[in-house]
Amino acid sequence: MRLDKFLKVSRIIKRRPIAKLVVDGGKVKLDGKVVKAAAEVKVGQILEIEYYNKYFKFEILQVPLGNVSKDKTSDLVKLIETKGLNIEINLDKDEDFFE
């Protein structure tokens, strides 16, 4: 699955065009390397996102074949680290971290 689509499906970023802008802006790393939106996501990779004053580090646990229901999105990634904010992260809610 493409990285921009994975970010949308996992609800880390709610809209794919925004995900593409963030990724192509050099703000996303997979396993420590800056990647493009078309990069393929694989289980076990470490995903880092830095955007404005927010930083998230995730481990990819599952890569779905298509869209996923809201209550299953938290099964896709495991939050490892955050910096620059003090909020509770819940991917099953309708909030967008990058509004």
Side-chain angles (χ1 to χ4, degrees), residues 6-84:
F6 180 80
L7 290 171
K8 177 205 173 282
V9 168
S10 64
R11 296 180 184 270
I12 294 172
I13 299 177
K14 298 288 191 225
R15 295 181 15 227
R16 192 166 174 182
I18 302 298
K20 185 172 179 1
L21 285 173
V22 172
V23 175
D24 287 343
K27 302 295 184 183
V28 177
K29 295 178 184 177
L30 276 176
D31 292 332
K33 296 179 185 174
V34 175
V35 293
K36 299 210 177 206
E40 286 295 312
V41 175
K42 297 178 182 129
V43 172
Q45 287 183 309
I46 301 298
L47 172 67
E48 296 176 75
I49 303 171
E50 187 174 342
Y51 192 64
Y52 291 110
N53 63 344
K54 300 175 184 181
Y55 171 84
F56 298 96
K57 187 174 187 178
F58 298 97
E59 178 182 358
I60 299 172
L61 302 176
Q62 292 181 26
V63 179
L65 296 176
N67 290 328
V68 176
S69 65
K70 268 194 271 188
D71 57 334
K72 302 285 185 189
T73 55
S74 59
D75 297 338
L76 302 180
V77 293
K78 174 184 170 187
L79 182 63
I80 298 172
E81 180 181 357
T82 63
K83 291 182 186 172

